[in-house]
Amino acid sequence: MSCYVLGFQEIDQTQGAVVGGKGAHLGELSRIEGIRVPAGFCVTTEAFGRIMAEAPSIDDRLDRLSRLKPDDREEIRALSAEIRRVLECTAIPDDLAAAITHPLARLGERAAYAVRSSATAEDLPTASFAGQQDTYLNVVGPAAILQHVSRCWASLFTERAVTYRLRNGFDHRKVHMAVVVQQMVFPQAAGILFTADPVTGNRKVASVEASFGIGEALVSGLVNADVYKVRDGEVVARTIGTKRLAIHTSPSGGTQEQAIEPERQAQPALTERQVVRLAQLGRRIEAHFGRPQDIEWCLVDDDFQIVQSRPITTLFPIPAAGDGENHVYISVGHQQMMTDPMKPLGLSFWQLTAPRPMAEAGGRLFVDVAAALASPASRASLLQLVGRSDPLIGDALQTVLDRGDFIRSVPDAEPAWTPPGGGAPAPIETDPAIVVELIAGNQASLAAVKRDIRTKSGAALLDFILADLQELKRMLFDPKSLQAVMAGIESTWWLNEQLQAWLGEKNAADTLTQSVPNNVTSEMGLALLDVADVIRPHPDVVAFLQHVEDEDFLDELPKLAGGRESRDAIRAWLDEYGMRGVGEIDITRPRWSEHPTTLLPLILGNIKNFEPGAGERRFEQGRREAWKKEQELLERLRALPDGEQKAEETKRMIDRVRTFAGYREYPKYGWVSRYFVYKQALLEEAERLVQAHVLREKEDIFYLTFQELHDVVRTNQVDDQLIRQRKDAFRSYQALTPPRVLTSDGEAIAGAYRRDDLPAGALVGLPVSAGTIEGRARVILDMAEADLEPGDILVTAYTDPSWTPLFVAIAGLVTEVGGLMTHGAVIAREYGLPAVVGVEHATQLIRDGQRIRVHGTDGYVEILP
């Protein structure tokens, strides 16, 4: 009998596979001193397995279900309904029915119970599955309990639960259902306690939501709950909701809604003393489980009973510090235009390349700026630099400082903080030979590593890469290279500030930096137009490329008329730019050379939308517009007092910006090129490990740090469980949105644009490329799904260099992430595209196909009728 039923006192949190997530948590809660949990038991997953075996017809339906995609809604709805009907109609064998009803003799056969689903993939640290399966309240009598146990088993296959599993990569056959049968309590008030603020993420603030009656009214969204915030043992904020109804148990079983008397509707459901006591209980539960909890509670006769606790899965993790000090973290991904999580190998390569250690959390990297904020000498320069680049980050940091209690000023014991290279003076001369020399040195170094790495394997390969990373760091942080980058940035700032002061000209540098030389990223987009020119005259090749699915399509091209030239053009482009790809700062992400089919929609779009020679014409048009703008500005300056001096100084800065602005993109190109050399060599080594049965698949190396991979190569042994855990964690990180600024309390601080000069309804952002444009918004989250026409405005979360080939086809750009000198902004200016970045929630607020107006000079977007 015990294999089918376990009492709460027999269960702990290690038994999730037997009693599901909810059951395991309830058993563990029952063990915490001072925590009251209503009595009950669990019907185990073994009982569920027995019922599944009684219904063999389900097997075929599960096979069909597993082949569906989350968007196949009609098929999911029909198949899941069939499975539920089979399970609900399957008779429970007598011995199993006796096992389930036996504990009722002890707990009370005529008592009321909650019968609750408890799936094995539920209430996990990485996926809550909250609300995906069913709960039944106020169930009375053995027959009714058996009936509702069957319904809970069937609820594993509700449409929403099936879709959730498909979206989150859970195998239907590997998720099993247990059922919790728990004595009902009849509370005066009930609700939810979050031991961390679910809105801000602050781990030191507990949030209590409360309403009258059973908590179902609150969970179902039927009432406006009372909300209390508790910090350090006191209520720091409270909002009393108007509670017009409550849910109570019905004498005939189940529940019913009841109206609340008008005089009670605005009364608080709890006293502040009760709220504080509840928060203290929550802290005890949180300490036991070791992470913030989402807790369901009931108040019965001034005594709190806990009916559920699960991890809060939506909180962004806090970087581990362990020193008890306050820290303020800035997101690296927002600077690099890649806010997706990185796999462990990608993170460790970044750490090995960075000039100083970075903090890690949720698969993302952060820079701790607490010390810089605490120092009066460095604070101003940090806020100025960050505020120029990304005003939202600057405002968030100022918010932390304005509170006055999180970061306290300390005497300056060290020199003022400067960004890497920021302390180096810009070159005095404006000599294009500086850029040519830097690029040539980078190319020579890359050629050497390509040559030398071919002879390395095993541990020697890892040693070689580790040593070569020092050479990469030397080039990335070479003072002359950093001076060249800063010369372009600082001359841009100078031109914008001085020309606005002297002439009232906003963002003048945007036009002046069109079609600058040596911008490897913008050249990449124009070069793909040249590839289209080679392919366009050959209709057989165009037709073939429209239906390609296999990555080896280049080998097939020579069989077609014009195919050899087309293949050579694509390969030449891949030789130059094939190491790039979406999310390229993570060495583990796919590159164009690895998946050349991702290029085909871009090439075919260029063939359709452009005439021959468009690349050269586009560059020349931008160069002429920049020259024309330069002549106009110099002429206007000469008409001013001290005009000749102003014009001469401005001309010097224009020459400087056109010399150095393009180089801004080159260090990253060299860096990504080198990473791709490492990656190809490491994947060859991984293939050897697969052949030796050390690894299951090559890509498993992506879930190891560099040092762990070194150890695996050296010992020919790997921890398979560690790789599985890392894969699960990575999946959970993909569902999280990283904050721009995060404190060591876990508080995500968004920042705000402090502007009141905008039209009503405008979406505010950062102006990064001047001009105003109207057009059709194309909201695109995956570059592979881009279907753009000339005149469209691209609206997306972020753009890294891999998106540049799309820029030739659009008229404007709007992104949720970005700053003045991030890649999308630089390329938008070079192509002359009006652009606004840092528009919070742009992809949700703007619908695909809407007409919008982008004000690239003033930094806002209007949605048009």
Side-chain angles (χ1 to χ4, degrees):
M1 192 164 66
S2 62
C3 61
Y4 294 136
V5 173
L6 291 173
F8 286 172
Q9 68 280 2
E10 301 174 86
I11 298 168
D12 62 32
Q13 61 184 331
T14 66
Q15 291 168 280
V18 178
V19 295
K22 190 176 281 130
H25 279 85
L26 281 167
E28 192 69 31
L29 278 168
S30 302
R31 296 165 175 264
I32 305 174
E33 187 177 350
I35 302 299
R36 292 197 59 195
V37 177
F41 59 92
C42 286
V43 182
T44 67
T45 54
E46 193 165 334
F48 174 73
R50 171 93 177 268
I51 290 298
M52 291 287 280
E54 298 275 335
S57 64
I58 287 177
D59 266 357
D60 173 61
R61 292 180 173 97
L62 284 179
D63 286 339
R64 287 153 57 198
L65 205 59
S66 65
R67 290 193 289 270
L68 297 179
K69 293 184 171 58
D71 294 330
D72 298 331
R73 292 176 185 169
E74 289 305 318
E75 294 94 328
I76 290 172
R77 183 175 297 125
L79 264 177
S80 58
E82 288 177 28
I83 295 172
R84 289 198 306 279
R85 277 196 298 271
V86 170
L87 284 174
E88 287 191 38
C89 294
T90 300
I92 300 176
D94 290 345
D95 62 322
L96 177 53
I100 294 170
T101 56
H102 178 75
L104 302 179
R106 173 174 53 84
L107 297 172
E109 282 201 359
R110 303 313 302 171
Y113 293 88
V115 182
R116 313 167 73 188
S117 305
S118 180
T120 52
E122 184 176 298
D123 295 347
L124 304 175
T126 56
S128 77
F129 279 80
Q132 300 306 314
Q133 284 90 38
D134 289 347
T135 286
Y136 301 95
L137 302 178
N138 198 31
V139 180
V140 180
I145 285 173
L146 289 173
Q147 179 189 25
H148 286 87
V149 167
S150 286
R151 288 181 178 177
C152 284
W153 287 331
S155 76
L156 188 64
F157 297 99
T158 60
E159 183 184 346
R160 63 182 182 272
V162 167
T163 303
Y164 190 98
R165 288 197 292 275
L166 288 171
R167 289 195 189 284
N168 288 275
F170 285 85
D171 185 338
H172 300 300
R173 293 181 182 278
K174 293 182 179 176
V175 181
H176 305 291
M177 181 66 83
V179 181
V180 171
V181 180
Q182 186 176 23
Q183 278 188 333
M184 281 288 296
V185 292
F186 304 98
Q188 294 91 28
I192 301 168
L193 160 64
F194 298 98
T195 62
D197 190 316
V199 177
T200 68
N202 195 325
R203 306 314 199 260
K204 292 187 176 177
V205 174
S207 178
V208 175
E209 298 182 9
S211 190
F212 295 124
I214 296 173
E216 202 65 20
L218 191 157
V219 173
S220 304
L222 298 177
V223 296
N224 294 320
D226 301 340
V227 180
Y228 304 84
K229 304 290 184 183
V230 183
R231 179 168 185 150
D232 297 331
E234 64 177 292
V235 175
V236 294
R238 76 172 197 162
T239 303
I240 304 303
T242 302
K243 302 171 284 296
R244 292 188 171 86
L245 60 84
I247 292 182
H248 292 282
T249 55
S250 170
S252 59
T255 60
Q256 61 186 19
E257 294 180 11
Q258 289 183 6
I260 297 174
E261 306 82 12
E263 62 273 15
R264 288 188 65 220
Q265 290 179 3
Q267 288 182 6
L270 297 176
T271 67
E272 290 202 359
R273 180 184 61 80
Q274 288 171 329
V275 170
V276 170
R277 180 152 52 92
L278 178 60
Q280 289 168 344
L281 292 175
R283 290 291 175 220
R284 191 177 300 173
I285 295 169
E286 177 185 67
H288 182 86
F289 285 111
R291 54 171 51 93
Q293 297 288 299
D294 165 358
I295 298 166
E296 295 175 27
W297 56 268
C298 295
L299 179 68
V300 183
D301 299 328
D302 197 33
D303 192 11
F304 287 105
Q305 300 209 31
I306 306 300
V307 295
Q308 184 52 278
S309 183
R310 61 174 68 89
I312 306 176
T313 59
T314 55
L315 297 175
F316 198 85
I318 306 172
D323 57 5
E325 299 294 323
N326 286 349
H327 298 273
V328 179
Y329 302 101
I330 291 179
S331 163
V332 172
H334 284 80
Q335 308 296 310
Q336 289 295 328
M337 297 292 271
M338 207 287 275
T339 56
D340 295 345
M342 296 168 70
K343 297 185 180 78
L345 190 65
L347 290 168
S348 62
F349 261 96
W350 251 82
Q351 294 281 31
L352 290 166
T353 310
R356 55 172 72 93
M358 293 181 177
E360 294 179 23
R364 279 81 167 186
L365 290 165
F366 295 85
V367 175
D368 183 6
V369 296
L373 289 173
S375 161
S378 60
R379 184 185 305 140
S381 59
L382 170 65
L383 290 173
Q384 182 185 34
L385 183 79
V386 172
R388 266 177 160 165
S389 172
D390 188 329
L392 292 176
I393 292 180
D395 185 74
L397 294 180
Q398 189 63 56
T399 298
V400 174
L401 286 170
D402 290 345
R403 290 176 182 174
D405 60 351
F406 194 79
I407 295 294
R408 291 185 171 84
S409 291
V410 296
D412 289 310
E414 299 178 4
W417 177 89
T418 56
I428 295 173
E429 72 274 27
T430 303
D431 184 0
I434 295 172
V435 173
V436 173
E437 175 192 331
L438 287 166
I439 291 174
N442 196 309
Q443 289 175 335
S445 177
L446 182 64
V449 75
K450 284 181 177 178
R451 180 191 67 235
D452 295 344
I453 204 168
R454 293 192 192 115
T455 63
K456 304 294 188 288
S457 64
L461 170 64
L462 279 292
D463 291 336
F464 173 84
I465 291 173
L466 193 59
D468 191 69
L469 281 165
Q470 298 308 307
E471 171 66 5
L472 173 57
K473 285 176 74 169
R474 183 195 66 74
M475 286 190 300
L476 283 175
F477 305 109
D478 173 5
K480 184 177 277 192
S481 177
L482 292 167
Q483 287 167 358
V485 170
M486 290 307 297
I489 292 173
E490 288 173 350
S491 51
T492 298
W493 289 344
W494 188 94
L495 286 165
N496 283 340
E497 289 168 4
Q498 293 303 124
L499 292 173
Q500 179 158 9
W502 291 338
L503 299 174
E505 185 84 26
K506 280 187 178 180
N507 302 335
D510 294 357
T511 306
L512 296 168
T513 51
Q514 288 187 44
S515 297
V516 295
N518 298 309
N519 188 322
V520 69
T521 305
S522 64
E523 288 167 2
M524 172 177 66
L526 299 177
L528 205 59
L529 287 170
D530 297 340
V531 173
D533 287 351
V534 174
I535 298 171
R536 190 181 289 106
H538 306 296
D540 289 350
V541 174
V542 175
F544 171 77
L545 294 180
Q546 287 170 338
H547 300 97
V548 161
E549 292 183 0
D550 297 328
E551 297 296 350
D552 58 359
F553 72 93
L554 289 171
D555 297 332
E556 301 296 314
L557 279 176
K559 299 173 185 176
L560 303 170
R564 190 173 299 278
E565 306 96 285
S566 301
R567 179 201 62 187
D568 292 347
I570 295 173
R571 279 189 174 162
W573 192 92
L574 288 171
D575 287 344
E576 194 75 21
Y577 306 108
M579 77 297 292
R580 311 211 84 157
V582 175
E584 63 189 12
I585 64 172
D586 180 355
I587 196 173
T588 72
R589 294 284 288 264
R591 311 287 148 165
W592 280 322
S593 287
E594 296 170 314
H595 296 287
T597 53
T598 56
L599 283 176
L600 297 182
L602 305 175
I603 294 172
L604 292 167
N606 288 346
I607 290 170
K608 172 188 169 186
N609 295 324
F610 295 95
E611 296 294 323
E616 186 176 343
R617 283 196 303 277
R618 181 73 173 263
F619 186 84
E620 183 57 27
Q621 179 187 345
R623 194 189 64 76
R624 281 200 308 271
E625 288 181 7
W627 183 84
K628 183 179 174 184
K629 188 69 175 177
E630 176 183 331
Q631 301 311 306
E632 176 217 317
L633 291 169
L634 295 177
E635 185 178 339
R636 289 166 62 193
L637 285 169
R638 291 188 183 105
L640 299 176
D642 299 323
E644 283 300 330
Q645 181 182 338
K646 289 183 170 98
E648 185 180 328
E649 198 172 358
T650 299
K651 170 62 175 166
R652 191 163 63 248
M653 283 297 178
I654 292 173
D655 289 347
R656 177 173 290 181
V657 83
R658 292 196 61 79
T659 297
F660 293 112
Y663 181 73
R664 158 76 177 81
E665 292 291 299
Y666 197 85
K668 186 175 184 183
Y669 172 79
W671 172 11
V672 171
S673 298
R674 215 174 191 95
Y675 267 18
F676 189 48
V677 174
Y678 300 156
K679 181 183 183 181
Q680 289 173 301
L682 288 172
L683 283 174
E684 286 182 20
E685 190 62 30
E687 182 58 40
R688 181 191 68 77
L689 293 169
V690 171
Q691 296 301 322
H693 305 293
V694 177
L695 295 176
R696 286 190 167 85
E697 52 189 19
K698 286 193 301 184
E699 288 75 15
D700 282 352
I701 67 170
F702 297 159
Y703 297 93
L704 300 169
T705 67
F706 186 87
Q707 184 55 56
E708 288 166 349
L709 177 57
H710 199 295
D711 293 340
V712 169
V713 169
R714 182 175 49 80
T715 63
N716 273 347
Q717 292 183 322
V718 71
D719 184 344
D720 288 327
Q721 185 178 356
L722 175 67
I723 290 175
R724 282 196 300 274
Q725 288 170 349
R726 296 265 176 85
K727 287 179 178 179
D728 288 343
F730 181 75
R731 266 196 300 271
S732 73
Y733 296 156
Q734 288 176 303
L736 299 175
T737 301
R740 282 179 165 82
V741 173
L742 180 69
T743 74
S744 48
D745 284 351
E747 183 179 8
I749 304 178
Y753 295 104
R754 308 293 176 179
R755 295 172 57 186
D756 53 12
D757 58 340
L758 302 177
L763 308 180
V764 63
L766 178 66
V768 296
S769 186
T772 302
I773 193 74
E774 285 185 21
R776 178 179 67 160
R778 294 312 313 269
V779 181
I780 296 170
L781 300 179
D782 182 350
M783 195 180 82
E785 297 175 2
D787 180 18
L788 294 164
E789 295 180 3
D792 284 346
I793 297 169
L794 174 61
V795 180
T796 190
Y798 63 82
T799 63
D800 62 10
S802 70
W803 288 68
T804 301
L806 290 181
F807 283 27
V808 299
I810 60 175
L813 175 69
V814 179
T815 69
E816 295 178 339
V817 175
L820 195 61
M821 297 310 297
T822 46
H823 303 278
V826 171
I827 305 307
R829 289 194 290 272
E830 176 143 349
Y831 284 178
L833 303 174
V836 181
V837 303
V839 180
E840 295 265 76
H841 312 300
T843 59
Q844 298 163 43
L845 297 171
I846 300 171
R847 292 197 309 274
D848 186 56
Q850 279 186 315
R851 286 195 65 78
I852 61 173
R853 184 182 296 127
V854 177
H855 296 263
T857 305
D858 296 309
Y860 65 94
V861 179
E862 289 180 282
I863 299 174
L864 303 176

